[in-house]
Amino acid sequence: MAQDFEPQAGSEFNLGELWDIIKRRKATFVQTFAVVVALGLAAVVMSKPVYEARAAVLVGIRRDVGIFSTGDSPVASLFSRDADEPLRTQLQEMLTGPIVREAYKATVRDRPGIQSPSYDITAEEETNIITIATKGGDPKDVAALANAIADNKLSDLRSKDLSVIDQAREQVRTRIEEEQKNILAAQKRLATLERDFPKSAEQSRVAQKRDYDAARAQRESTLVRAQTAKGTYADLVGRLKKTPPQIQRQRDIINPERKRYETQLQLLEAEREKALAKFVDTHPIVVSITQDITAVQAKMTPLPETLKGPVESVDNPEYLELKRKLDKSEDDLRQAQTELDVASTRLASIGQPQEIEGNPELDRQQAEQRVIAARDALQDWQKNLRELELRRGHADKSNIHRVIQRAEVPGAASASSRVTMVGMSVMAGLILALLFTLGMEKMDDRVNKPEDLERVTSLPGLAYVPLIPQDQPRLLSELAPNSYVVEAYRSLRSSIHFAAIDAPIRRIMITSPSKGEGKSVTSVNLAMIMAMEGKRVVLVDTDLRRPSVHRLLDLPNEHGLAEVLAGLATIEDVIQDTEVPNLRAICSGPIPPNPAEMLGSNAFDRILERLEEDSDVLVFDSPPCTPVTDPLVVARRMDGVLLVIHVSHTKKGLVSSAVEHLTRSRARILGLVFNRTRSGGRYGYGYGYGYGYGYGYGYGYGASGSPYGEYPSNPPVGSGKRRPPGGPGVPPGPNALPVDRSFDA
């Protein structure tokens, strides 16, 4: 089978598809846009003049809050209102609170025929400036409203500052009273400690406790040493009892016989050294001495070096070592016991000190620190109170918040509102035109692009034949070899060749879902392009209801397929040569009353077998497959069926029905041929010549309404006269389109 069609931009909606829809329905888009913009411009012209005014308020941030800026102060939160209350919160408060409402009541007068002023309050980015913009029909009202809102906001800010200061004063007074109470309580506690625990007695008790603790620690340390020495002494006594004082030992003596041989061997080696000094090593004297040495070594080697001597008793060294350690351990134990007695006597002489609950000295120090801290805190809060009193007196004169821009009465109407209305009209026109166009596209059931058939069928698109202008010929024999149409049919021929890899394709039927989709022109051009490849092609018109092959090829139709099926003529009587080499045609002949029965007869099978004997490819032009059953009868005898789709004309439902009918008839559908596409778009393709040669591929579609120009849905075919071969810019001649043998699969 041919390769499946894969859309270039994927199945997702993208800008390329949107642009295709707008181009295809440009009339709808332009008309909707023009109507909306015209209504908007009419509203602009009829609108009354609008005046604008602007005021601005600076919301200051305190930079001199002193100690209140630290988190340790309980009133710090009161002076961080600028951080806790951002501008967006203040804007919301202005819009919903009494600031704007009271300003509006005080300045705006309700007068019929004049637009009441409106306001827009915003905060400039990265600043603390609040901007009040007003607009309306009366210039004095818009200026007065902007200034009133600014003044009310300034009064509100200053009122909040005074409220914050008053709250801080009350909190500071409360803290002063608390610190005074803390001072009195700490002084009372200190006096009680001085009375109950004098410093001299406490110092004596502390010294006694220190000496007692040191003596007890020394006694415990000495006791541990004494116990350790006692354990060591007992261990050594036990080991000494188990160790014998003397042990039996046998002495080794030197073997006298081996000693004698060693002495004899030394004398022989000395003689040999003297002999070697006078003679060579082969001299009889040297050889005799060497043999004596060897004999002595043989006798000495098996003898042991030592012999076992007599057994005797000796002192045990282990016993002696244990005895020495035991004496030393006994001295250590005696010394440790003496030191333990001394430490116990000293601990008893010091005596245990009297235990007192708590630590009076530490309590005295803490009480003194509390008195000092309370006095320091009291001084700080008194200083803060003086600062707040001073700030309260100068609050009305502070310029931390101020109006930095007052609104002036505008002298002329604002042009920005009209420009805004025009821009909004244009934007609304674009949006509504786009939505209306997409709605029309959604409701359109026609096949406008290959992706529209993805949910209908999985058949591949084999070729995309561009639209042929009405004033130009439609047959390949009359077109220039480099035209878009010729290239499209070459692509179709290549697709059929690829589909024939698994099974040969010799019988090809061309049909369409409905009439007027260009199937007959496709059949003739496909037969021509295959004949130009050098194949023997026979074009058979099986449309026995509305035949058109004879008109396209300008051939007589007195005799044809109908007569052969009826047994009134033979194939040789009706087959005709054409002006295209290797291409012959069989027209329909007289229109019979029962075309479906004739095409389903055995006679048609015999015709197919006879035609295959003298041809390579058979191309059959058949009627549409949804209105009649003729093509279904023929399709089951074909090696492949091509379904021609008229882009922007054929309904999706008809395509689905056609595929279903052909599938039920057990036809092999090779794929779809998209006819009358717009060249130069996303699905059209073509190439051109200049000083250099180049070509490109892409397919596209035209706008809705009149698809692809004023091309009739069922254009007239043939006129009884042969059209001059060649297209625009191609001189007429019998060989305008030579035989094409350049196909390269």
Side-chain angles (χ1 to χ4, degrees), residues 447-465:
V447 179
N448 295 314
K449 55 184 182 300
E451 289 85 346
D452 293 342
L453 295 178
E454 289 182 353
R455 296 184 179 180
V456 177
T457 178
S458 60
L459 292 174
L462 302 182
Y464 304 86
V465 181

Side-chain angles (χ1 to χ4, degrees), residues 84-382:
D84 296 336
E85 189 178 6
L87 287 183
R88 59 177 177 272
T89 305
Q90 299 191 38
L91 291 179
Q92 186 66 24
E93 182 183 359
M94 291 177 65
L95 294 173
T96 58
I99 296 176
V100 176
R101 186 167 57 250
E102 293 177 358
Y104 202 89
K105 290 181 180 179
T107 57
V108 176
R109 295 168 295 172
D110 189 8
R111 289 174 292 177
I114 299 178
Q115 179 182 350
S116 299
S118 60
Y119 55 87
D120 182 24
I121 304 175
T122 58
E124 299 184 10
E125 295 183 0
E126 299 182 357
T127 65
N128 294 315
I129 298 175
I130 296 178
T131 302
I132 303 104
T134 57
K135 59 181 178 180
D138 190 331
K140 294 182 179 179
D141 285 352
V142 297
L145 178 60
N147 290 328
I149 294 175
D151 293 338
N152 287 355
K153 178 60 178 175
L154 183 62
S155 300
D156 179 71
L157 291 172
R158 290 179 176 175
S159 175
K160 289 181 177 180
D161 288 348
L162 292 177
S163 176
V164 169
I165 293 176
D166 292 340
Q167 293 179 31
R169 291 167 61 198
E170 292 300 324
Q171 291 193 14
V172 169
R173 289 193 181 100
T174 302
R175 291 305 301 267
I176 289 176
E177 294 176 359
E178 292 177 357
E179 295 301 335
Q180 289 175 345
K181 293 178 181 179
N182 292 337
I183 292 175
L184 293 176
Q187 289 177 344
K188 184 177 179 181
R189 173 62 176 168
L190 182 61
T192 301
L193 291 173
E194 289 290 349
R195 183 186 66 249
D196 296 341
F197 304 101
K199 288 186 178 181
S200 58
E202 178 64 20
Q203 291 176 355
S204 175
R205 189 188 69 82
V206 170
Q208 181 185 2
K209 186 175 185 306
R210 184 175 58 253
D211 295 341
Y212 180 82
D213 292 340
R216 187 174 61 180
Q218 184 179 5
R219 180 183 178 282
E220 291 177 355
S221 175
T222 305
L223 179 61
V224 170
R225 277 204 334 270
Q227 292 175 350
T228 303
K230 186 176 181 180
T232 303
Y233 179 80
D235 179 66
L236 291 174
V237 169
R239 291 172 60 188
L240 189 63
K241 290 179 179 180
K242 298 178 181 179
T243 303
Q246 290 185 340
I247 58 175
Q248 300 294 324
R249 185 173 60 182
Q250 187 177 19
R251 239 180 359 167
D252 293 339
I253 60 176
I254 297 175
N255 190 344
E257 187 177 359
R258 181 181 178 86
K259 184 65 176 175
R260 181 170 56 79
Y261 284 130
E262 288 177 354
T263 304
Q264 186 179 358
L265 183 62
Q266 291 176 358
L267 294 175
L268 290 173
E269 287 178 351
E271 291 180 2
R272 185 175 181 275
E273 290 295 331
K274 293 179 180 180
L276 287 175
K278 299 178 180 180
F279 311 104
V280 296
D281 55 356
T282 57
H283 194 272
I285 296 177
V286 176
V287 171
S288 176
I289 297 174
T290 302
Q291 291 175 351
D292 294 340
I293 292 175
T294 303
V296 172
Q297 288 177 343
K299 295 177 181 180
M300 182 185 68
T301 300
L303 297 178
E305 293 183 359
T306 60
L307 297 176
K308 296 296 182 178
V311 177
E312 58 184 358
S313 297
V314 295
D315 293 334
N316 189 352
E318 182 180 359
Y319 180 85
L320 297 177
E321 179 64 21
L322 288 176
K323 188 71 173 62
R324 184 186 65 79
K325 290 182 178 180
L326 182 62
D327 296 340
K328 183 177 183 304
S329 176
E330 186 178 1
D331 295 340
D332 294 341
L333 177 59
R334 191 179 297 107
Q335 181 180 359
Q337 189 64 41
T338 302
E339 293 178 357
L340 179 60
D341 295 340
V342 173
S344 299
T345 303
R346 182 170 180 273
L347 182 62
S349 64
I350 294 175
Q352 185 172 2
Q354 181 182 1
E355 294 293 337
I356 300 176
E357 184 179 358
N359 190 340
E361 182 63 23
L362 180 61
D363 293 342
R364 184 184 296 105
Q365 294 177 0
Q366 292 177 350
E368 292 175 351
Q369 292 176 357
R370 281 197 293 271
V371 171
I372 296 173
R375 288 175 179 174
D376 294 341
L378 178 62
Q379 294 177 358
D380 292 339
W381 287 117
Q382 290 174 346

Side-chain angles (χ1 to χ4, degrees), residues 169 173 384-394:
R169 291 167 61 198
R173 289 193 181 100
N384 293 341
L385 181 61
R386 291 192 297 270
E387 183 179 350
L388 289 173
E389 296 289 351
L390 181 63
R391 185 173 296 178
R392 182 67 175 79
H394 295 81

